Amino acid sequence: MFKGNIRQYGMIIALLFIMLLFEVLTGGLLLKPINITNLILQNSYILVLAIGMVLVIITGHIDLSVGSIAAFVGAVSAIFMVQWQMNPIVAVILSIVIGGLIGAWQGFWVAYVRIPAFIVTLAGMLLFRGLTMIVLEGQSISPFPNGFQKISSGFIPDFSNMATNIVAVLAGIALSILYIITELRNRAAQRRYNFDTGSQALFFTKMVLVVAVINAFTIVLASYAGIPTILVLLFLLIIIYSFVMNKTVMGRHVYAIGGNEKAAGLSGVKTKKVTFWVFVNMGVLAAVSGLIFAARLNAATPRAGTNFELDAIAACFIGGASASGGIGTVFGAIIGGLVMGVLNNGMSLVGLGIDWQQGIKGLVLLLAVAFDIYNKNKGTSSV
């Protein structure tokens, strides 16, 4: 049981270790409320991409174009809102639709023409990077309307005038109650079907630790400016996509295709259709990521989205997704993204140059994938 839990929560333990390490090395700067808030704002667009990317990786594919799509959608949104003075809500909806259409374009070639996703999305990366430069004519476009900027820089309003944000504190309490009820119901359901539920002591220890982390996190946010608007969006995306992947037929089909596409097809899964919609979804989330980044930067630039795809892919693999497909979770991708984000932030606070940062991140990615291969080979040999 101990080994099983270490494997399941290995990256969470690694994330906590990295945070404690940089908290010591930075003299307490890492976990200051303002830096925690900055961590959320700085990594939000990568986390959104990671949610979509993990679905693509689970099906056994890869998407190299998401950074360029994010840049292109950000450029188009700037044309809509800054040059054409379009209503921000209408512009956002149109931008997301464009992202979905781009995903459909790439999904068609991958699912129905059977061109490898690596080739299709590599072509997409070059195509949409070029279109971004054409649309922007090599210039940055700014500023965006204030309402649009609040997507990345806004906070949930507080109803009190106290120094501590009450909304954030109440949100922590509400999330704790919701988590406890969900865990108790899941454990009761497992017992009802005679599944192995593990020891009661371990179960309650885990609940206490998770509740403590939730409330500590919201109290830290409450001591600065409260809950960022983008955090609410991220939370909703995590809940929705976790539910889809774990509780719906569509989610089961995605895992089935990644595990064995031919067997899934023989079992009645419409493999082409599912693959197509996975890429449409990736296009939509790439568009959302591009809008978030443009709102945070308050400008659309030709260089936006550079290396976004690499960070998103790294987040998925660090979070436990398998390079061969069929394995991965939305929550794991988020943890992987946070590991990358904390590494970036911590190394910057320590004063490491970009050369060292890139090297260390590459080493972490390699070790994470090696750990996954090691566990898989160990499990196979034990059988």
Side-chain angles (χ1 to χ4, degrees), residues 53-374:
M53 187 65 73
V54 74
L55 271 67
V56 174
I57 291 174
I58 289 171
T59 57
H61 298 293
I62 203 77
D63 193 336
L64 301 176
S65 66
V66 292
S68 296
I69 295 173
F72 177 69
V73 171
V76 171
S77 69
I79 298 293
F80 289 159
M81 283 181 268
V82 179
Q83 293 190 353
W84 294 359
Q85 299 295 307
M86 189 180 290
N87 182 285
I89 296 175
V90 176
V92 166
I93 293 172
L94 284 177
S95 298
I96 292 174
V97 170
I98 290 171
L101 291 174
I102 293 172
W105 162 261
Q106 299 195 134
F108 167 77
W109 292 105
V110 174
Y112 294 102
V113 185
R114 308 297 292 176
I115 299 176
F118 181 90
I119 301 300
V120 173
T121 58
L122 178 60
M125 178 178 71
L126 300 173
L127 171 62
F128 295 107
R129 179 61 62 184
L131 287 176
T132 301
M133 295 178 180
I134 292 170
V135 168
L136 295 177
E137 298 179 347
Q139 305 292 322
S140 296
I141 298 179
S142 64
F144 282 99
N146 290 332
F148 177 73
Q149 293 178 44
K150 289 182 179 178
I151 294 175
S152 285
S153 59
F155 292 85
I156 302 301
D158 192 17
F159 56 80
S160 72
N161 294 321
M162 298 175 62
T164 301
N165 189 287
I166 301 301
V167 170
V169 175
L170 293 177
I173 296 171
L175 287 174
S176 299
I177 295 172
L178 180 63
Y179 170 76
I180 291 170
I181 293 173
T182 303
E183 286 294 302
L184 291 175
R185 289 181 62 183
N186 289 341
R187 187 174 176 85
Q190 289 173 342
R191 283 184 169 177
R192 193 160 54 246
Y193 293 106
N194 296 320
F195 291 158
D196 182 21
T197 56
S199 72
Q200 194 168 357
L202 183 63
F203 173 74
F204 283 108
T205 300
K206 186 185 85 168
M207 276 210 307
V208 169
L209 289 174
V210 172
V211 169
V213 170
I214 290 173
N215 285 277
F217 176 65
T218 53
I219 288 172
V220 167
L221 293 179
S223 63
Y224 176 57
I227 302 175
T229 307
I230 194 63
L231 182 61
V232 177
L233 174 61
L234 274 172
F235 178 76
L236 291 175
L237 288 175
I238 293 168
I239 295 298
I240 292 169
Y241 279 89
S242 295
F243 176 80
V244 169
M245 294 302 292
N246 296 325
K247 303 292 185 180
T248 68
V249 174
M250 177 67 176
R252 295 295 95 195
H253 286 178
V254 171
Y255 279 109
I257 290 173
N260 190 319
E261 185 175 358
K262 289 184 178 179
L266 293 172
S267 301
V269 178
K270 297 179 179 178
T271 56
K272 293 181 180 178
K273 184 178 179 180
V274 172
T275 301
F276 174 79
W277 283 107
V278 164
F279 275 91
V280 172
N281 175 74
M282 185 71 259
V284 168
L285 290 182
V288 173
S289 175
L291 292 170
I292 293 170
F293 184 74
R296 175 166 174 75
L297 199 62
N298 193 24
T301 68
R303 301 299 300 169
T306 303
N307 291 335
F308 280 16
E309 60 280 343
L310 302 182
D311 287 338
I313 292 168
C316 295
F317 286 137
I318 290 173
S322 173
S324 57
I327 298 173
T329 63
V330 172
F331 182 72
I334 294 297
I335 294 298
L338 290 175
V339 168
M340 296 291 285
V342 171
L343 277 174
N344 285 333
N345 185 263
M347 289 188 291
S348 296
L349 290 175
V350 170
L352 283 178
I354 190 67
D355 47 357
W356 281 97
Q357 292 187 32
Q358 295 293 338
I360 291 172
K361 287 194 297 181
L363 184 61
V364 169
L365 174 59
L366 180 63
L367 291 175
V369 176
F371 183 69
D372 171 65
I373 299 297
Y374 169 77

